[in-house]
Amino acid sequence: MDVEEFCNIYFVERKGTDSLKWDALAERFGEDGLISLWVADMDFRAPECIQKALRQRIDHGVFGYSLVPDDYYDAFSRWLRAKHHYTLEKEWVRFAPGVVASLYWLIQAFTKEGDTILVCPPVYYPFFNSIKDTKRELIKCDLMNDGGNYTIDYCELEKKIKENQVKMIIHASPHNPVGRVWSEEELVRLLEICKRNEVLCISDEIHGDLILSGNMFQSVLAVRGGEYRSQVIVLNSASKTFNLAALAHSHILIPNPDWRKRYDDYELSHLQVGGNLLGRIATKTAYREGSEWLDALLKVIQHNYDYLKKELIKACPKIGVSPLEGTYLAWIDLRAYLGENTQELIQQKSRLAVDYGEWFGEAYKGFIRMNLATKPENIRKAVKNIIINLKHDSALA
């Protein structure tokens, strides 16, 4: 399926459907009428196989308490084996309504108030919120930026761990918002530091299926054949991959049996949550039958990214567009033209709703994150509007 065919079949107008992305613009940005390219969900329907499976269950008409069947674990394991090259053990799996909820739960299960937790900005802003809201101390080790190519400063990372007695690292893999897919060598260096310093690594791998440009994603569970499994917990879900976020279903993978017991004890005394039947059905079906849809989606994301990068840099050569190795989120550096006046150009003049760089860390004013999971027409309009308004700037006249 090519880009045009996929968009013809799966693109859907979401305005007026209680969409956070499109119908909360006035609340979030102060006005309607913007092209919505902010929150990370898609303007595409889920695969037809998922829609069919959900319709069948709805027609059944009963939504009572339900078990997780063995074929769910089988489908999940087959997907991970095919896509991420490791074998899932059923006993590792715990369920949550989403990755953000999982972060809050794990922070409370494995640390105490006042403990230090490290993140590497610019990074998904709920990481910050989860640490602050649970009264832990936030430690930041900013990624190094070499012309839009981001890497971890391992010396600084270990220094901050030692100086601040860090208990936990929350790691985005692939990285949101800079789009990095970490190599095995990079992950080994990170995990060796965690091992030496007895730091628990929480790896948010929710974008792990959204890999572009011939890159190879590797879960921390697969690094060196699983050498570091005893010190990591992985969060993942089909929700980003197949646009299922509102079905509120995700995984917490805990290979370490002592940590599983600790988490189970926390869950027993604090949570007592049930699962989401429709989320499980959608996820199982996605993992069984969704590969072809995903392959076509990735073509759309690659097409949108290639167009955006080519046209922006051709018109305004000092714009920085970071390589998009994973996710469907473009990270764009406008500082050479805008300074800190990003919102005026992007929202008021270009009529776009995006995520602003400072949301991911105070040092990133002048950056934007743009959601590419939409029809190419929206990206063409967004790029055109940015270029027109940048060229009206006196610095480009």
Side-chain angles (χ1 to χ4, degrees):
M1 196 183 316
D2 63 18
V3 169
E4 183 177 2
E5 183 181 4
F6 181 89
C7 291
N8 286 340
I9 295 171
Y10 287 104
F11 175 80
V12 62
E13 177 60 63
R14 298 184 63 194
K15 294 177 185 175
T17 63
D18 299 324
S19 161
L20 177 67
K21 183 177 181 181
W22 288 95
D23 294 330
L25 290 173
E27 178 183 344
R28 184 76 178 197
F29 293 91
E31 59 179 325
D32 290 315
L34 307 174
I35 300 174
S36 189
L37 302 169
W38 66 291
V39 66
D41 72 356
M42 308 185 204
D43 295 327
F44 301 120
R45 294 183 178 94
E48 178 57 36
C49 58
I50 294 177
Q51 297 178 53
K52 180 180 177 181
L54 292 174
R55 283 193 293 265
Q56 288 175 344
R57 186 65 191 212
I58 289 167
D59 288 344
H60 179 258
V62 176
F63 310 104
Y65 299 118
S66 302
L67 302 172
V68 182
D70 286 340
D71 64 354
Y72 179 94
Y73 296 101
D74 180 65
F76 188 19
S77 182
R78 287 174 182 269
W79 182 269
L80 292 175
R81 206 158 45 239
K83 301 291 185 181
H84 305 314
H85 312 294
Y86 71 91
T87 299
L88 177 75
E89 301 292 339
K90 178 180 176 180
E91 59 265 25
W92 298 353
V93 183
R94 301 295 182 269
F95 297 103
V99 163
V100 173
S102 301
L103 286 176
Y104 279 78
W105 296 352
L106 291 171
I107 288 170
Q108 293 176 93
F110 289 94
T111 67
K112 62 182 185 298
E113 289 189 12
D115 279 350
T116 49
I117 300 175
L118 185 143
V119 299
C120 294
V123 76
Y124 183 49
Y125 37 89
F127 286 13
F128 303 133
N129 298 340
S130 66
I131 295 166
K132 294 175 181 177
D133 291 345
T134 55
K135 297 181 173 57
R136 274 63 173 173
E137 182 180 350
L138 172 65
I139 304 297
K140 293 178 284 188
C141 180
D142 285 60
L143 298 176
M144 297 186 292
N145 178 8
D146 181 10
N149 296 285
Y150 287 82
T151 53
I152 297 170
D153 185 339
Y154 296 100
C155 293
E156 184 68 11
L157 180 76
E158 187 155 25
K159 178 183 176 185
K160 290 198 170 187
I161 287 172
K162 290 179 180 296
E163 288 178 348
N164 297 283
Q165 297 182 309
V166 167
K167 307 298 184 193
M168 176 185 287
I169 287 177
I170 306 175
H171 181 58
S173 181
H175 194 280
N176 172 13
V178 306
R180 277 300 318 277
V181 174
W182 307 107
S183 69
E184 181 171 44
E185 179 184 359
E186 289 173 308
L187 292 172
V188 166
R189 293 187 70 181
L190 171 67
L191 294 172
E192 281 292 336
I193 290 171
C194 291
K195 184 177 180 179
R196 280 197 299 272
N197 294 279
E198 298 182 339
V199 173
L200 168 57
C201 178
I202 308 296
S203 185
D204 172 6
E205 299 183 1
I206 196 170
H207 292 97
D209 296 318
L210 297 161
I211 307 302
L212 302 175
S213 305
N215 292 281
M216 180 68 72
F217 170 75
Q218 187 165 54
S219 169
V220 294
L221 295 173
V223 172
R224 286 186 174 172
E227 180 177 333
Y228 300 96
R229 287 177 184 171
S230 64
Q231 65 193 77
V232 299
I233 295 175
V234 163
L235 308 180
N236 67 20
S237 175
S239 62
K240 282 287 183 284
T241 310
F242 295 100
N243 212 23
L244 307 174
L247 295 182
H249 180 72
S250 71
H251 309 109
I252 303 171
L253 306 183
I254 313 176
N256 185 319
D258 294 333
W259 288 358
R260 282 201 303 275
K261 168 110 178 20
R262 183 167 174 177
Y263 176 78
D264 289 344
D265 289 345
Y266 171 80
E267 187 179 69
L268 182 67
S269 60
H270 289 80
L271 301 177
Q272 291 294 316
V273 293
N276 185 310
L277 170 64
L278 297 183
R280 288 200 301 267
I281 291 170
T283 297
K284 180 177 73 174
T285 306
Y287 288 154
R288 280 179 165 178
E289 304 175 44
S291 283
E292 183 178 347
W293 182 95
L294 175 57
D295 290 343
L297 169 71
L298 293 174
K299 292 178 186 177
V300 177
I301 296 167
Q302 188 72 62
H303 172 87
N304 284 343
Y305 172 75
D306 291 344
Y307 175 86
L308 176 143
K309 182 174 182 179
K310 177 184 176 183
E311 296 300 319
L312 283 181
I313 292 176
K314 181 172 70 174
C316 308
K318 294 180 183 178
I319 285 180
V321 181
S322 289
L324 187 62
E325 299 172 353
T327 82
Y328 50 73
L329 306 165
W331 183 242
I332 303 167
D333 183 356
L334 300 169
R335 292 174 299 170
Y337 298 108
L338 295 181
E340 296 185 358
N341 298 320
T342 317
Q343 188 168 353
E344 179 182 353
L345 177 120
I346 294 299
Q347 180 174 331
Q348 297 171 16
K349 295 181 179 179
S350 300
R351 307 305 296 156
L352 309 178
V354 301
D355 283 24
Y356 292 100
E358 56 266 36
W359 297 2
F360 302 91
E362 58 269 18
Y364 299 94
K365 290 183 178 179
F367 290 80
I368 61 171
R369 190 192 77 172
M370 186 181 293
N371 183 340
L372 303 176
T374 189
K375 62 181 179 180
E377 179 186 349
N378 283 338
I379 301 304
R380 289 195 295 269
K381 287 180 181 177
V383 169
K384 178 182 177 181
N385 290 358
I386 291 172
I387 291 171
I388 288 172
N389 287 292
L390 275 178
K391 287 192 169 182
H392 281 104
D393 187 281
S394 59
L396 294 175

